[in-house]
Amino acid sequence: MQVLEIIVLTDLGVYAAHRTFHAVPILWRFHAIHHSVEEMDCLAAFHVHPVDQIVTKATALLPVFLLGFSGEAIALYSVIYMGHTMLVHSNTKIGFGPLTWLIAGPQFHHWHHAGERAAYDRNFAGQLALIDLVFGTYRVPTASMPAKYGVDDPIPSNIFGQIGYPLVPRKAVTTGDRPRSEP
Ligand SMILES: [Zn+2]
């Protein structure tokens, strides 16, 4: 029961942090590192800028520790989360059929990474697609998978370039900017 409560609580935090990382331009520069992957596989789950990782995990987990859930429940949740985040990023067409709207699956999360305008800023939840449904950001358009992944942002290809990318000032507008605020 505690594990289920932790999943709901943490995923509300993941949703809020993730949506904020998409909405605020300076934060998007950190999160764009994760979206720069152009081929989805389970390792994409770990292709995350440290600032993105720390802020998102802190937002999700701080209430869990403050509310005093048991160590065993937190440990079991951590194992489930690790498996789940690798699954939703993995290179598979597994769909959850009639439960697609409830549990985040590869199809749901692949559409979050889709490199097409209509897919931007949708499907923020990590484990419970229901949260996106409730807040009006759910979008799984077809039973198929996206044709293309990645972003237009000029993300460097090496690790040091990617870690420094959000911190290096750029001109206010470049032709490579992903149009974050457009519908
Ligand atoms: Zn994202």
Side-chain angles (χ1 to χ4, degrees):
M1 195 64 203
Q2 282 199 26
V3 173
L4 283 177
E5 290 169 1
I6 291 172
I7 289 174
V8 172
L9 190 60
T10 53
D11 218 34
L12 285 168
V14 165
Y15 180 92
H18 192 181
R19 190 165 176 175
T20 305
F21 268 96
H22 275 250
V24 179
I26 180 60
L27 293 180
W28 166 252
R29 288 165 62 79
F30 290 97
H31 188 57
I33 304 302
H34 178 56
H35 277 269
S36 68
V37 294
E38 296 181 347
E39 290 183 34
M40 297 293 282
D41 56 41
C42 61
L43 290 179
F46 309 105
H47 191 120
V48 182
H49 194 285
V51 170
D52 182 359
Q53 185 82 330
I54 290 167
V55 172
T56 301
K57 289 287 179 290
T59 305
L61 290 171
L62 195 60
V64 171
F65 287 111
L66 291 178
L67 288 170
F69 286 92
S70 74
E72 290 86 350
I74 294 173
L76 182 53
Y77 155 77
S78 300
V79 172
I80 293 170
Y81 177 83
M82 191 64 71
H84 200 166
T85 193
M86 290 175 72
L87 173 67
V88 298
H89 288 93
S90 60
N91 184 13
T92 169
K93 293 184 177 179
I94 294 173
F96 286 172
L99 296 180
T100 300
W101 61 272
L102 176 62
I103 303 170
Q107 190 185 34
F108 169 84
H109 195 65
H110 277 228
W111 277 108
H112 175 71
H113 280 262
E116 57 185 76
R117 183 75 57 90
Y120 293 171
D121 304 327
R122 298 287 183 270
N123 300 1
F124 295 109
Q127 295 185 270
L128 298 171
L130 173 64
I131 296 174
D132 279 285
L133 200 60
V134 169
F135 289 107
T137 49
Y138 177 90
R139 182 176 182 271
V140 179
T142 66
S144 65
M145 304 297 260
K148 178 174 170 278
Y149 301 98
V151 289
D152 295 330
D153 305 53
I155 309 292
S157 59
N158 66 76
I159 184 171
F160 298 109
Q162 293 190 3
I163 288 174
Y165 170 78
L167 308 171
V168 177
R170 289 184 305 158
K171 292 176 182 172
V173 176
T174 71
T175 53
D177 275 344
R178 187 181 180 181
R180 307 297 319 155
S181 58
E182 295 180 23

